[in-house]
Amino acid sequence: MDFAEHEDHRAIREAVRDVCGRFDDDYWMRCETDHEFPWDFYQQMAKGGWIGIAIPEAYGGGGQGITEASLVLEEVAASGACMNGASAIHLSIFGMHPVVLHGDEVLKARYLPRVASGDLHVAFGVTEPDAGLDTTSITTRATRDGDGYVVRGRKVWTSKALESERVLLLTRTTPKDRCARPTDGMTLFVADLRDPAVHINPIAKLGRNAVASCEVVYDDLVVPESDRVGEEGHGFKYLLDGLNAERVLVASEALGIGRASVRRAVAYAKQRVVFGRPIGQNQGVSFPLAEAHARLRAAELAVREASWRLDAGLLAGEQANSAKFLASDAAFKAADAAVQTHGGFGYACEYHVERYFREARLQRLAPIPQEMVLNYLAEHVLGLPRSYG
């Protein structure tokens, strides 16, 4: 196996670092504290072409793979932007993947060039308050009405809903009890979020407050058939096509948070002098940081294997899920070690590691909790009996 870094990948990292270097930790803390979307950062990333890196060239994108997209998001998070930076561009980079794979040419031409340029923000509306991870039990309904549909229902944790013009919205077009399989009868739309029939309310939350997560109520929203992705009733299958890639991108963001945490903690451990010597000289401080580094390196190998398999068109369920689990765990341990290294100052906002810690915690929950990853590995890799559903 050749582990040499590809020249193009090195160039991507360096270019993204150059953009991110214009936005320091204080910028991200202000965005977090003020609950303000990082518009300046977003516009600079769009200007550099990074928003459209994974969108096909025919629609104005960079035409690159999951590996390249994951490098961009890793570097963004590693800059200290963490999830506030990564989430600001994540959905634009990859959220429209179902449209790329299954949308008709008219739908692609209408939306993909605007997403690639950074002009169009798109949110992702799947999760519901009473369904949670049981996506087949969603109740948001799209009812046929002439040449279109009327949508009624409620979604939660819709990130970027306040900034977005459109939402990739999963609905039920056929009741679950009338379907041959629970996964049938769901349809995906690129729906209008700025219609008066849509009501958006931000959810107060622990962290990543520069990018709001929202409850969104659809009160008889009219959606034309031309905004449907693919065939009616196949929406769940279309979502599944992108799940492994999503795991890899989230894992890469976790790697970035872990790198940022270790970098800050090491710098502090070198300059903080107690009892006449730098605290990094003490094994009680240095060993947890060395262990965090080792865990991140191991997780990185898992991430790179998973992205390579996806880009090569190979099955990657085991690898992508393992990468998400390992990277999320490594990032959380690194962020925790960074807070501990700072001692009491680790609890102070001015040192930033408390923000890293809060955002690293998110990775163990979203877009899928660690326990559900283990469920997948236990059932589909180890062959153990299904433990839920």
Side-chain angles (χ1 to χ4, degrees), residues 21 73 76 78 104 127 134 316 323 348 378:
L73 291 168
V76 167
D104 61 33
T127 307
D134 184 8

Side-chain angles (χ1 to χ4, degrees), residues 21-314:
R22 306 167 203 168
F23 303 92
D24 60 14
D25 278 288
D26 291 333
Y27 170 83
W28 292 108
M29 180 57 74
R30 286 195 301 273
C31 290
E32 165 77 12
T33 302
D34 296 341
H35 292 221
E36 180 180 336
F37 188 81
W39 286 112
D40 291 343
F41 165 78
Y42 179 88
Q43 289 160 2
Q44 287 297 310
M45 291 295 287
K47 183 179 178 181
W50 303 114
I51 301 295
I53 188 171
I55 290 177
E57 290 180 287
Y59 303 100
Q64 298 298 304
I66 298 304
T67 297
E68 289 77 18
S70 71
L71 295 177
V72 171
L73 291 168
E74 180 189 342
E75 289 299 330
V76 167
S79 73
C82 298
M83 292 307 294
N84 277 321
S87 294
I89 63 174
H90 178 112
L91 285 171
S92 296
I93 286 178
F94 194 71
M96 293 291 273
H97 192 61
V99 175
V100 172
L101 292 181
H102 304 289
D104 61 33
E105 287 304 315
V106 174
L107 191 71
K108 292 177 184 178
R110 185 185 307 140
Y111 295 123
L112 293 182
R114 291 186 61 203
V115 172
S117 70
D119 172 58
L120 176 64
H121 289 257
V122 178
F124 203 58
V126 174
T127 307
E128 296 186 4
D130 296 325
L133 290 168
D134 184 8
T135 305
T136 63
S137 294
I138 65 169
T139 57
T140 295
R141 184 71 192 274
T143 306
R144 262 287 188 181
D145 184 22
D147 294 332
Y149 297 81
V150 176
V151 176
R152 173 174 283 270
R154 183 161 59 119
K155 300 289 185 179
V156 290
W157 303 115
T158 303
S159 296
K160 283 182 66 177
L162 293 174
E163 293 79 24
S164 295
E165 178 182 329
R166 292 273 157 177
V167 58
L168 202 63
L169 181 65
L170 186 67
T171 67
R172 269 223 167 265
T173 42
T174 304
K176 185 177 178 180
D177 59 8
R178 289 171 47 193
C179 295
R181 297 174 300 178
T183 54
D184 293 341
M186 286 185 278
T187 303
L188 202 58
F189 298 95
V190 184
D192 187 356
L193 265 182
R194 297 183 179 175
D195 190 285
V198 180
H199 310 281
I200 303 172
N201 294 295
I203 299 170
K205 60 186 192 296
L206 177 68
R208 205 203 66 174
N209 285 308
V211 179
S213 297
C214 304
E215 176 189 57
V216 183
V217 177
Y218 300 89
D219 188 9
D220 292 338
L221 172 68
V222 176
V223 182
E225 185 177 4
S226 59
D227 280 335
R228 190 183 71 202
V229 179
E231 298 179 40
E232 182 177 306
H234 292 261
F236 188 79
K237 181 183 71 175
Y238 298 158
L239 287 181
L240 289 181
D241 287 342
L243 287 185
N244 288 333
E246 179 82 355
R247 305 281 191 270
V248 170
L249 297 183
V250 169
S252 297
E253 293 163 1
L255 284 179
I257 297 173
R259 285 175 47 201
S261 299
V262 171
R263 184 187 71 247
R264 268 207 172 264
V266 167
Y268 184 81
K270 288 178 178 179
Q271 62 89 22
R272 174 67 167 165
V273 175
V274 179
F275 297 118
R277 64 184 193 177
I279 62 172
Q281 193 171 339
N282 303 314
Q283 292 178 349
V285 173
S286 64
F287 279 14
L289 296 179
E291 181 179 349
H293 172 79
R295 290 181 181 276
L296 289 167
R297 290 288 293 124
E300 182 180 14
L301 292 175
V303 172
R304 296 294 159 245
E305 181 196 9
S307 71
W308 176 82
R309 290 184 67 89
L310 286 168
D311 288 336
L314 302 174

